[in-house]
Amino acid sequence: MELQVAATGEPRFQRVRGMHDLLPEKATRFRQLEEKAKMLFELYGYGEMRTPILEPLSLFERALGTTTDIVEKEMFTVKDKGERALCLRPEGTAGVVRAFIEQNFRKTIKLFYMGPMFRAERPQKGRYRQFFQIGTEYFGNPSPAADAETIQLSAEILKSAGVEIAIRINSIGCATCRKNYQKILLVFLKKNFSQLCENCKKRMERNPLRVLDCKGDSGKFPNAPKTTEYLCLECKQHFTQVQELLAAVEIPFEIFPHLVRGLDYYTRTVFEIFAKDKKGSQDALAGGGRYDGLVRELGGPDTPAVGFALGVDRVIAQLEETGKIPMGRSSPERKKIFVAAVGNNTIPKAFQLLTQLRRAGFEADALLKEQSLKSQMRMADSWGAQDCVIVGEDELKENSVTLRDMKNQSQKKVPWDAILSALQ
Ligand code: HAM
């Protein structure tokens, strides 16, 4: 926790660097995107999954690879009381795969999740230390149709939110043909050694693919060997079919033969989605791909799988920047009623009425503390109330209330029993 000293001399708490408070307006936009995604997940046959935020550190080391940026330098690690090394999840896939194995899920299953992820990256625009993802994992289907459907689903979510997108796809082959590609890439990197960043110089031998995704080095080598030229026959056919399936449902895409992604678990199809006008390698709104070896790697049965995750923070920022905040309300508009309590002992009755109004399906609010009628009316106005119900001392004696139409400022007395029907 970071402390600053306030004017009073008391310590003042501040949020942790790279982490954000989501205020109501922004939080509502996040929720609305999540709701849109949930609706699509239901249409596509996905069930929700919630995994813990804390997981064993070794899970991510094993799943993502020890030479990835995330594991090398971006993990928020903690120790539990037994001194076991844990960490705040940097992504969702490893935890879902851990659960898939631990809970013995049925072989074919489609799962979605949403929630915060944590990466200790250098904070900058679009890159936070706590950010939110919406993602899916589809287990048990090796067919290119599962890849195409995953790409389609992520594109549909972004499009339904109002983003104009560009999709990049690639195939990085299977464990066998990738070995060949890695050898050829390594020869190329050795020739260009002086241009590599210090970190890539160190990890190049162990994991040459990382250079193509390095924040500093990616884009430096347009002449690097292309993964697609070294695919085995089966991987080549798989990739061709993914492209045909996408074309069949009219999803435009570009092939990007240097796209490798920043995590080690991928096999065959990888993809990233960008806003049409913003295709910098660090600007991806979503990314994913197939990972046929990961379940096995983490101790489970051989299980093909494919998934994606989108960055909610980035998608909302993109919509805000382009002025396309499509977000309306998440529930249908209802009549707004403000309850004003004026005078002695009127608050309990106002509180009771507020409850009745909400139970009847109105949006109802009140100040519920002693305040002049005038300032309560101001509050009702700025909140956008259509009607105001005034509970005053006289009304209390008569077992009635005063109804005020906020638009034309007219008022009338209504008996307590007739309030709901008068408002409807
Ligand atoms: P990822 O590409 O690391 O993939 O992250 C997915 C998305 O999360 C990115 O495209 C980006 O929008 C967002 N994101 C990542 N890091 C940050 C950050 N520091 N600040 C803001 N947004 C960020 C994965 O996480 C894989 N688990 C996706 C997947 C699921 N692959 C298969 N299944």
Side-chain angles (χ1 to χ4, degrees):
M1 186 68 66
E2 294 176 22
L3 280 178
Q4 269 198 348
V5 178
T8 56
E10 294 291 311
R12 198 175 65 180
F13 291 101
Q14 283 195 309
R15 57 184 195 267
V16 173
R17 197 165 113 84
M19 304 203 175
H20 296 275
D21 298 312
L22 296 176
L23 304 185
E25 194 176 68
K26 179 88 83 185
T28 305
R29 291 176 186 160
F30 273 50
R31 174 162 49 85
Q32 286 163 346
L33 179 61
E34 288 166 358
E35 280 165 4
K36 281 209 164 84
K38 269 187 193 153
M39 207 185 70
L40 282 159
F41 290 147
E42 278 168 14
L43 294 185
Y44 280 67
Y46 280 79
E48 185 166 359
M49 172 91 211
R50 300 189 191 201
T51 60
I53 284 170
L54 274 181
E55 294 275 5
L57 174 63
S58 51
L59 171 68
F60 297 103
E61 290 172 337
R62 190 75 178 263
L64 315 190
T66 48
T67 46
T68 54
D69 282 353
I70 298 181
V71 171
E72 273 183 344
K73 40 188 193 202
E74 297 170 359
M75 303 290 264
F76 278 104
T77 51
V78 274
K79 287 234 159 92
D80 71 3
K81 294 209 168 116
E83 293 290 287
R84 219 164 90 101
L86 308 176
C87 76
L88 299 180
R89 61 181 187 195
E91 57 104 57
T93 309
V96 175
V97 173
R98 187 226 7 95
F100 175 85
I101 300 166
E102 189 178 346
Q103 317 279 349
N104 249 325
F105 286 171
R106 61 170 194 270
K107 266 184 135 109
T108 302
I109 189 164
K110 290 166 140 181
L111 299 164
F112 79 85
Y113 52 87
M114 28 189 80
M117 307 292 160
F118 303 83
R119 296 183 191 175
E121 302 197 65
R122 199 165 60 79
Q124 52 190 292
K125 191 163 172 276
R127 196 158 286 282
Y128 312 118
R129 292 186 163 184
Q130 174 175 307
F131 58 96
F132 291 78
Q133 280 190 347
I134 295 176
T136 64
E137 312 300 347
Y138 181 176
F139 294 98
N141 189 346
S143 156
D147 309 46
E149 192 194 69
T150 298
I151 297 171
Q152 178 187 40
L153 174 54
S154 44
E156 285 299 325
I157 295 172
L158 291 167
K159 281 197 278 186
S160 79
V163 191
E164 277 190 61
I165 55 165
I167 304 174
R168 289 177 179 172
I169 64 169
N170 192 23
S171 173
I172 57 169
C174 59
T176 316
C177 63
R178 194 164 55 230
K179 277 204 190 98
N180 189 25
Y181 173 72
Q182 279 170 323
K183 266 191 221 148
I184 285 153
L185 179 63
L186 191 57
V187 173
F188 173 86
L189 295 175
K190 281 182 177 163
K191 277 193 207 144
N192 293 276
F193 191 74
S194 61
Q195 290 182 57
L196 298 181
C197 77
E198 290 313 307
N199 197 24
C200 284
K201 281 179 181 163
K202 274 187 268 163
R203 64 186 174 180
M204 171 188 89
E205 296 271 354
R206 278 203 292 159
N207 196 344
L209 249 62
R210 287 280 64 81
V211 178
L212 298 181
D213 190 66
C214 165
K215 290 183 184 108
D217 287 340
S218 78
K220 272 191 199 166
F221 304 108
N223 300 323
K226 297 175 172 165
T227 60
T228 39
E229 285 171 8
Y230 299 89
L231 299 177
C232 63
L233 185 62
E234 279 180 9
C235 287
K236 202 176 263 173
Q237 282 172 348
H238 194 275
F239 191 40
T240 305
Q241 284 172 39
V242 172
Q243 295 168 50
E244 286 168 359
L245 287 159
L246 289 174
V249 289
E250 290 168 19
I251 297 178
F253 58 87
E254 282 172 273
I255 298 176
F256 233 73
H258 292 140
L259 176 67
V260 295
R261 309 265 304 127
L263 307 153
D264 278 357
Y265 50 61
Y266 292 109
T267 52
R268 294 191 163 168
T269 314
V270 287
F271 68 97
E272 283 182 343
I273 307 185
F274 297 82
K276 218 170 195 158
D277 54 343
K278 231 196 265 164
K279 292 194 258 180
S281 61
Q282 301 303 317
D283 296 325
L285 298 177
R290 179 165 282 286
Y291 49 96
D292 289 346
L294 184 59
V295 179
R296 181 74 183 268
E297 176 69 27
L298 296 182
D302 243 336
T303 309
V306 56
F308 86 97
L310 67 78
V312 179
D313 310 68
R314 286 193 194 170
V315 174
I316 299 299
Q318 173 63 23
L319 292 171
E320 287 171 345
E321 265 169 45
T322 48
K324 282 196 199 151
I325 299 160
M327 316 293 186
R329 298 167 46 91
S330 39
S331 51
E333 189 86 39
R334 298 185 174 100
K335 201 168 187 187
K336 281 179 149 184
I337 317 287
F338 192 87
V339 179
V342 198
N344 275 339
N345 283 329
T346 53
I347 289 180
K349 200 72 179 167
F351 182 54
Q352 212 184 328
L353 177 59
L354 197 59
T355 309
Q356 266 186 28
L357 291 173
R358 287 172 177 157
R359 284 186 182 151
F362 292 105
E363 274 180 48
D365 203 1
L367 192 59
L368 295 184
K369 69 176 186 183
E370 281 177 28
Q371 192 84 268
S372 71
L373 179 62
K374 203 168 156 196
S375 69
Q376 293 194 60
M377 286 301 106
R378 262 205 307 272
M379 185 175 166
D381 221 23
S382 68
W383 180 58
Q386 282 116 314
D387 288 298
C388 192
V389 185
I390 302 163
V391 183
E393 288 175 26
D394 289 347
E395 284 91 344
L396 219 56
K397 279 184 215 137
E398 294 165 7
N399 212 16
S400 69
V401 295
T402 298
L403 267 193
R404 182 184 178 100
D405 183 320
M406 296 300 283
K407 202 165 161 200
N408 58 29
Q409 306 278 314
S410 63
Q411 290 198 169
K412 61 176 178 202
K413 281 247 170 91
V414 176
W416 182 263
D417 295 339
I419 302 172
L420 288 183
S421 53
L423 286 170
Q424 260 140 9

